[in-house]
Amino acid sequence: ALALIWSEVIREKITNFIMNQSKEQRILDFVLQNAVRGDPCSVIDTIDKYCSQKEWAMNVGNEKGLVLDKTVEEVNPSVVLELGTYCGYSAVRIARLLKEGARLLTVEFNPEFAAIAKQMIEFAGVQDKVKILEGPSDKIIPQLKKKYEVDTLDFVFLDHWKDKYTSDTIQIQECNLLRKGSVLLADNVIVPGAPEFLKYIRNNPRFQCTNYPSHLEYKKVEDAMEKAVFLG
């Protein structure tokens, strides 16, 4: 799996050099040229098409995306926190399922990715439900209550740096951002893997965990998502 990812990284660097353009910009351009403006499902399908046929990218993808969809529908959240916006794929995927008045706060450390995601979200027509917070997650999480007027989070989607999953989950609890029934969903817990997070969350009596075996986005490599319900 790691060799597979490494080969994709090498190919991406060569293509970036030849085209003088980032992969993320190429994904956005493909969406702008081929998807239907204002149709989030069309945007999602177009990104999936590009990433399965042309260049691999670290979106949650179509297979694990169904687990994400199901979780959002079950929770029916009013306030969502996403850690790791990337190109905006999962933000669009989540936002299209949110009820009227609900909001998604999505955190992205990389300014280039944040700029791409902003255009993607606006093109999909879900910008009224999504706010991109640019910066490191450990600096933004403590600001959520006062600066962004968050009481508690109904749903948290973890899809950023895997070694940040545990520390950010702990910080979210310390900031009293979870209520009884709040749900966390973590992607890529097998590949690249988040063993520390799995150990922490599964051995924590305050969480009830469910594992969803799946595959790495756009590949046949085994992966999984981990859902954790906060018991209070």
Side-chain angles (χ1 to χ4, degrees), residues 25-146:
Q25 185 64 53
R26 291 191 291 275
I27 293 171
L28 175 62
D29 289 349
F30 188 79
V31 168
L32 298 180
Q33 293 163 14
N34 295 279
V36 178
R37 178 181 287 277
D39 184 343
C41 291
S42 173
V43 169
I44 291 164
D45 291 345
T46 305
I47 296 173
D48 284 335
K49 181 178 179 180
Y50 186 91
C51 296
S52 59
Q53 297 179 5
K54 297 179 183 290
E55 291 186 272
W56 179 86
M58 55 182 181
N59 310 303
V60 67
N62 49 351
E63 184 183 357
K64 288 184 292 184
L66 296 177
V67 178
L68 177 59
D69 291 353
K70 183 171 180 286
T71 307
V72 172
E73 288 169 343
E74 286 175 352
V75 177
N76 191 25
S78 295
V79 184
V80 180
L81 176 67
E82 177 184 40
L83 300 177
T85 316
Y86 189 43
C87 290
Y89 175 94
S90 49
V92 171
R93 187 151 201 145
I94 293 168
R96 86 193 203 285
L97 298 173
L98 294 181
K99 60 191 174 187
E100 192 70 32
R103 57 180 175 142
L104 164 62
L105 303 171
T106 180
V107 179
E108 178 52 56
F109 178 76
N110 185 313
E112 182 193 345
F113 294 168
I116 296 280
K118 183 176 186 292
Q119 294 177 74
M120 194 77 76
I121 289 162
E122 288 176 353
F123 185 83
V126 294
Q127 68 274 15
D128 291 347
K129 294 181 177 179
V130 184
K131 185 174 183 63
I132 300 172
L133 310 181
E134 194 176 320
S137 54
D138 59 353
K139 296 290 188 292
I140 290 174
I141 289 168
Q143 300 176 345
L144 290 176
K145 279 193 177 284
K146 287 190 176 179

Side-chain angles (χ1 to χ4, degrees), residues 147-190:
K147 188 172 181 180
Y148 299 104
E149 300 179 333
V150 173
D151 181 17
T152 54
L153 300 163
D154 303 309
F155 177 53
V156 181
F157 182 48
L158 297 96
D159 196 19
H160 57 328
W161 297 106
K162 312 313 161 192
D163 59 359
K164 296 282 289 178
Y165 280 16
T166 306
S167 58
D168 282 353
T169 298
I170 291 170
Q171 190 177 42
I172 286 168
Q173 293 174 79
E174 289 174 343
C175 292
N176 296 312
L177 286 161
L178 298 182
R179 57 159 177 82
K180 185 178 180 180
S182 292
V183 173
L184 279 63
L185 183 67
D187 191 19
N188 300 121
V189 295
I190 304 300

